[in-house]
């Protein structure tokens, strides 16, 4: 030890270790081997530490993260913003296909591996290509469109009927004039609440053959039993959202995820509460999985999204461990709640806010549905262009997964939006930004379903579709898209056919919270039963 005593040596180490923790990133930043210093940082520390992005996500703010990033791209006119020492955000829509498309060589970045290692591997967090293809082959047959009719007949139509019963009970009198501002007491229907229950009930049925009866009960409370035998109830959606909040605060520094979780549990009450919700979410999913596996062992033949995790096409045992069955179910149920619910909420919000779109959709529904109250059957409404355009327009304006989906460039680099990006760099474009390019989407902040109809068959439409990434794209595109389409289509068509709605006032703006996903906070509306089916354009 060259004459250095043990105590001075330990003191030196204790000084150098934290110093290297701070110095290393600064040296990396100053060396600027990849030439990223020329790009404006998201915040002053983005070039030095990933914690800068954690801070951007977790800090209190009035404006959601996706909009802040979009504003930064547009106000600075910068196509590239540095989100982390090795992470670039792109701001022009044409980057979407370069990053996520089939021909992109980029693969999922390290945060996905960290999430998988912590909680089990599911389709979304497997980054290895071969493993992902094997899992996708195992699951995809059951997500295929040919199942849609079965799902609707067996499950979704019943939930839509229960939803109508609940909304009927909350309806108030028709206003004297369409311009009347509703009385606060008449704002009885919170669309956020009912859309979440509808999405959750339908995905639990389609995914696990489980009828949670959330709509009939009017809540999502679920009974758990602690190891000491204590029984308690948790709210499933709140637990799932807690898990999302906690992970989204720290996952971006993925190598030190475990450390930051422990630190945050000690210093942040908000984190600790949300982390505990995440544990409840894990316990609820585990219970659902064990119940489903018991039914299989007891000989029940069920046809749902869980089936391929129990039995292969030839009756063989599939190559999946129970931990991954739980992870896969968590991903399926979580995605099946958030994606469709957000899309139903934002679509209805757009339709109510722009009444001419509501009336146009109602007129279209009247061409195929009987002139009486009732659930809109999938077979009748599945091909309606204005209905599809309204759903797409909501997904464009408020993509449920608006977050920066991180991909890593291949080792020899990748050209994105004409810019050569070095290998092993993290890259992303938020769907929120990609969907607002004014060159492709004129008046991008306006809900205008017509844009998806007028441009049909044009080059403009090709470009719009290439930039439209609510379900991501390429080999990692959403596998649940068909399921979400039936959830959204049946729910929206049923509500627009049977009810009229009014927002709290004409300037009402839907507010969101954003972590990985966009969550509308509340959408209280006055609802009343549609009276005249013979004159849809009243
Ligand atoms: C409007 C509804 C939905 C939207 C907007 C949506 C969006 C997305 C997006 C953006 C991704 C890519 C995520 C990433 O790269 O990290 C994704 C993947 C995925 N989604 Fe969805 N989703 C929706 C509904 C659903 C439903 C209903 C399910 C299941 C029943 C589902 C299951 C999945 C799965 C398993 C993946 C991973 C696919 C893979 O990598 O192979 N999603 N979704």
């Amino acid at each position: 030890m060259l004459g250095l005593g043990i105590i001075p040596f330990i003191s030196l180490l204790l000084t150098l270790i934290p110093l290297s923790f701070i110095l290393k990133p600064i040296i990396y930043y100053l060396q600027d081997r990849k030439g990223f210093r020329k790009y404006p940082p998201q915040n002053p520390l983005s070039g030095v530490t990933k914690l800068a992005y954690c801070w951007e996500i977790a800090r209190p703010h009035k404006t959601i993260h996706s909009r802040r990033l979009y504003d930064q791209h547009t106000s600075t006119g910068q196509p590239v913003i540095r989100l982390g020492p090795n992470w670039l955000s792109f701001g022009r829509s044409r980057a979407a296909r370069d990053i996520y498309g089939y021909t992109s060589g980029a693969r999922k970045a390290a945060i996905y591996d960290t999430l998988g290692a912590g909680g089990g591997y599911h389709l979304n967090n497997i980054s290895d290509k071969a493993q992902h293809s094997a899992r996708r082959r195992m699951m995809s047959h059951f997500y295929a469109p040919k199942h849609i009719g079965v799902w609707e007949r067996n499950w979704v139509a019943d939930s839509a009927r229960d939803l109508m019963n609940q909304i009927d009970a909350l309806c108030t009198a028709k206003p004297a004039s369409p311009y009347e501002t509703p009385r606060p007491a008449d704002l009885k229907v919170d669309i956020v609440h009912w859309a979440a229950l509808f999405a959750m009930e339908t995905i639990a049925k389609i995914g696990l053959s489980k009828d949670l009866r959330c709509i009939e009960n009017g809540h999502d409370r679920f009974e758990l039993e602690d190891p000491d035998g204590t029984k308690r109830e948790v709210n499933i959606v709140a637990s799932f959202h807690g898990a999302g909040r906690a992970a989204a605060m720290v996952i971006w520094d993925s190598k030190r995820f475990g450390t930051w979780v422990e630190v945050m549990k000690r210093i942040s009450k908000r984190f600790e509460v949300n982390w505990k919700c995440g544990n409840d979410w894990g316990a609820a999913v585990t219970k659902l999985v064990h119940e489903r596996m018991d039914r299989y062992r007891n000989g029940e033949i069920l046809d749902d999204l869980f089936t391929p995790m129990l039995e292969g096409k030839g009756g063989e045992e599939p190559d999946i461990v129970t931990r991954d069955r739980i992870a896969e179910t968590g991903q399926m149920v979580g995605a099946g709640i958030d994606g469709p619910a957000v899309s139903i909420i934002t679509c209805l919000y757009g339709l109510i806010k722009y009444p001419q779109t509501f009336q146009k959709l109602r007129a279209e529904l009247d061409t195929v549905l009987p002139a009486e109250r009732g659930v809109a059957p999938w077979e009748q409404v599945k091909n309606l262009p204005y209905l599809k355009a309204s759903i797409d327009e909501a997904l464009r304006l408020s993509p449920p997964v608006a977050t920066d989906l991180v991909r890593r460039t291949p080792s020899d680099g990748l050209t994105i939006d004409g810019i050569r990006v070095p290998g092993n760099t993290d890259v992303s474009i938020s769907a929120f930004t990609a969907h607002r390019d004014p060159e492709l989407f004129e008046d991008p902040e306006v809900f205008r379903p017509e844009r998806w109809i007028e441009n049909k068959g044009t080059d403009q439409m090709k470009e719009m579709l290439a930039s439209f990434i609510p379900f991501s794209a390429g080999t990692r595109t959403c596998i649940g898209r068909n399921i979400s389409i039936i959830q959204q289509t049946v729910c929206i068509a049923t509500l627009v056919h049977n009810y009229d709605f009014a927002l709290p006032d004409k300037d009402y703006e839907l507010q969101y919270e954003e972590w990985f996903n966009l969550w509308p906070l509340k959408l209280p509306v006055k609802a009343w039963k549609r009276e005249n089916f013979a004159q849809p354009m009243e």
Side-chain angles (χ1 to χ4, degrees):
M1 244 176 273
L2 298 172
L4 201 63
I6 186 75
I7 298 207
F9 176 70
I10 291 174
S11 314
L12 186 67
L13 267 186
L14 287 177
T15 317
L16 283 181
I17 291 170
L19 215 64
S20 78
F21 184 69
I22 295 170
L23 279 182
K24 214 172 131 190
I26 294 177
I27 292 169
Y28 177 87
Y29 173 76
L30 292 174
Q31 281 176 326
D32 197 25
R33 288 202 186 132
K34 289 190 170 178
F36 290 168
R37 259 170 45 208
K38 61 179 173 283
Y39 298 126
Q42 182 179 34
N43 78 30
L45 288 179
S46 298
V48 182
T49 170
K50 293 174 181 171
L51 294 178
Y53 188 81
C54 297
W55 167 246
E56 286 301 327
I57 296 292
R59 76 180 164 88
H61 46 72
K62 285 207 178 103
T63 312
I64 54 166
H65 176 261
S66 293
R67 182 168 288 282
R68 280 182 279 136
L69 183 56
Y70 162 71
D71 286 345
Q72 197 176 357
H73 274 294
T74 41
S75 65
T76 57
Q78 292 290 343
V80 180
I81 286 172
R82 192 174 190 180
L83 298 184
N86 188 34
W87 182 6
L88 305 178
S89 157
F90 286 77
R92 288 192 299 233
S93 59
R94 65 191 80 123
R97 96 189 71 171
D98 295 334
I99 298 175
Y100 304 106
Y102 276 105
T103 52
S104 162
R107 63 179 181 81
K108 289 205 163 181
I111 69 157
Y112 290 93
D113 295 313
T114 308
L115 288 169
Y121 286 96
H122 53 64
L123 271 171
N124 198 27
N125 67 22
I126 300 174
S127 67
D128 179 81
K129 273 192 175 165
Q131 275 176 23
H132 174 258
S133 303
R135 182 67 65 83
R136 190 125 181 165
R137 270 198 306 279
M138 177 194 291
M139 303 293 291
S140 56
H141 171 65
F142 279 79
Y143 282 81
K146 66 176 181 190
H147 281 99
I148 286 185
V150 181
W151 294 327
E152 193 238 5
R153 273 192 304 280
N154 292 356
W155 302 120
V156 182
D158 278 353
S159 295
R161 204 159 299 121
D162 286 347
L163 183 63
M164 277 189 67
N165 288 338
Q166 290 285 17
I167 307 277
D168 279 357
L170 296 170
C171 275
T172 51
K174 183 180 175 180
S177 128
Y179 306 107
E180 195 176 284
T181 302
R183 292 180 316 142
D186 284 352
L187 301 169
K188 292 187 178 207
V189 177
D190 179 4
I191 291 179
V192 170
H193 174 75
W194 291 106
L197 294 188
F198 180 82
M200 193 169 91
E201 180 169 304
T202 48
I203 194 59
K205 286 170 165 179
I206 294 168
L208 296 160
S209 304
K210 172 88 182 171
D211 189 354
L212 290 166
R213 296 188 181 279
C214 319
I215 302 174
E216 194 184 313
N217 296 332
H219 63 71
D220 62 340
R221 290 198 294 276
F222 185 76
E223 190 177 85
L224 287 180
E225 189 173 330
D226 287 336
D228 65 1
T230 315
K231 294 203 167 138
R232 64 196 170 92
E233 284 189 331
V234 297
N235 290 91
I236 298 193
V237 177
S239 305
F240 172 56
H241 286 180
R245 276 189 206 101
M249 285 187 212
V250 287
I251 188 63
W252 314 100
D253 188 8
S254 52
K255 262 194 201 158
R256 295 178 201 90
F257 177 59
T259 311
W260 292 131
V261 167
E262 291 313 314
V263 172
M264 290 294 283
K265 274 200 247 176
R266 282 166 184 77
I267 64 170
S268 162
K269 190 78 201 151
R270 184 167 69 130
F271 181 89
E272 195 199 352
V273 169
N274 283 302
W275 188 261
K276 278 195 183 140
C277 284
N279 292 340
D280 289 342
W281 164 247
V285 173
T286 305
K287 182 175 170 186
L288 287 168
V289 167
H290 285 300
E291 278 178 14
R292 176 66 181 86
M293 289 174 71
D294 285 346
R295 290 173 76 181
Y296 175 71
R297 286 190 205 102
N298 292 336
E300 271 192 80
I301 312 280
L302 301 168
D303 185 13
D304 55 33
L305 300 180
F306 199 86
T307 307
M309 291 190 269
L310 293 165
E311 207 171 282
K313 275 189 207 158
E316 74 284 1
E317 198 179 319
D319 180 17
I320 184 165
V321 293
T322 295
R323 186 169 184 259
D324 282 9
R325 287 188 179 107
I326 294 169
E328 203 66 75
T329 305
Q331 161 69 19
M332 174 229 295
V333 178
I337 298 171
D338 261 5
V342 175
S343 153
I344 290 167
I345 297 157
T346 55
C347 186
L348 284 168
Y349 170 64
L351 291 165
I352 303 169
K353 199 167 175 69
Y354 296 87
Q356 74 283 8
T357 61
F358 191 97
Q359 292 305 335
K360 236 172 160 170
L361 175 55
R362 178 172 276 181
E364 182 180 75
L365 291 167
D366 283 347
T367 62
V368 293
L369 295 177
E372 60 190 19
R373 308 192 77 236
V375 168
W378 165 253
E379 274 308 315
Q380 256 73 61
V381 294
K382 65 181 182 189
N383 291 325
L384 296 180
Y386 201 78
L387 177 55
K388 182 176 182 315
S390 303
I391 291 172
D392 283 350
E393 184 64 349
L395 289 169
R396 180 190 72 78
L397 262 176
S398 309
V401 187
T403 189
D404 306 292
L405 296 174
V406 205
R407 300 291 186 264
R408 179 150 283 209
T409 59
S411 52
D412 55 346
L414 182 67
T415 301
I416 301 171
D417 187 15
I419 298 165
R420 191 70 195 160
V421 179
N424 299 318
T425 301
D426 289 347
V427 290
S428 56
I429 176 169
S430 155
F432 192 92
T433 297
H435 295 173
R436 280 174 162 70
D437 189 332
E439 280 179 28
L440 295 180
F441 304 102
E442 201 186 337
D443 294 331
E445 299 299 338
V446 177
F447 178 83
R448 211 170 69 79
E450 288 76 7
R451 71 176 87 237
W452 297 103
I453 296 171
E454 291 160 356
N455 293 308
K456 228 171 194 136
T458 62
D459 286 348
Q460 161 99 353
M461 184 62 132
K462 269 191 211 145
E463 290 297 312
M464 285 163 66
L465 289 175
S467 310
F468 184 56
I469 49 166
F471 296 97
S472 191
T475 52
R476 302 310 298 256
T477 193
C478 176
I479 198 173
R481 186 179 185 145
N482 296 319
I483 294 165
S484 78
I485 298 291
I486 184 176
Q487 290 169 295
Q488 298 165 72
T489 305
V490 172
C491 185
I492 292 164
T494 298
L495 293 179
V496 172
H497 184 60
N498 291 287
Y499 304 95
D500 284 288
F501 300 99
L503 294 173
D505 60 70
K506 67 178 178 27
D507 300 321
Y508 186 82
E509 294 285 337
L510 186 57
Q511 302 296 318
Y512 298 87
E513 180 184 359
E514 182 183 16
W515 296 90
F516 295 112
N517 297 344
L518 268 191
W519 299 327
L521 296 179
K522 58 179 182 341
L523 182 52
V525 295
K526 172 183 165 72
W528 63 100
K529 289 183 192 168
R530 178 182 177 188
E531 280 174 358
N532 194 340
F533 283 86
Q535 296 163 22
M537 298 298 283
E538 79 253 56

